[in-house]
Amino acid sequence: MRDGAQERRVRERFRVAFGLPEESVDHLVATSRKAVAQGLARLAASCATGDRAALSHWSHSLKGSLLNAGLDDEALRARRIEELAASAPMDVLAGRVAILSLGLAAFLDGS
């Protein structure tokens, strides 16, 4: 998604679903951005070290962050990584992590 669509979706989620004022929305968007960035970094590190248990753990954690933020399509991608963590070739998993990262780049950059 381009042109801030993900951030608008996240802001709308926090405003409507949780009934939050704008100041709280700003804080939660920033917190979500940080959690997603950390989750993606941990996924990439898990792929680099071949740690399947960590890959499963961090994809599950990231999935929760994405669901809370209303980024359901991205959460499905994280869930698929979680499902495949035990058995898929590591290069396939690393590719899926890279695709997920690219899909979230605009949100992470705040654009």
Side-chain angles (χ1 to χ4, degrees):
M1 278 189 185
R2 301 235 184 258
D3 303 322
Q6 285 176 324
E7 183 164 339
R8 283 192 302 276
R9 195 169 11 138
V10 170
R11 288 182 168 284
E12 185 69 9
R13 162 84 171 173
F14 291 147
R15 244 187 249 108
V16 174
F18 302 122
L20 297 174
E22 197 61 33
E23 180 179 298
S24 296
V25 169
D26 290 343
H27 175 73
L28 279 177
V29 169
T31 301
S32 295
R33 191 173 279 130
K34 182 178 178 180
V36 168
Q38 289 175 341
L40 289 170
R42 289 179 174 133
L43 285 180
S46 299
C47 286
T49 61
D51 187 340
R52 292 177 182 278
L55 187 61
S56 178
H57 171 80
W58 291 116
S59 58
H60 179 81
S61 176
L62 180 59
K63 175 185 68 179
S65 295
L66 294 167
L67 285 171
N68 285 337
L71 296 171
D72 298 341
D73 293 341
E74 295 79 2
L76 286 173
R77 289 184 185 94
R79 186 183 105 204
R80 188 66 178 140
I81 294 167
E82 179 185 9
E83 292 170 349
L84 295 172
S87 60
M90 198 55 70
D91 62 331
V92 170
L93 294 166
R96 286 181 175 269
V97 170
I99 290 167
L100 180 58
S101 295
L102 284 173
L104 287 162
F107 173 67
L108 293 175
D109 291 341
S111 55

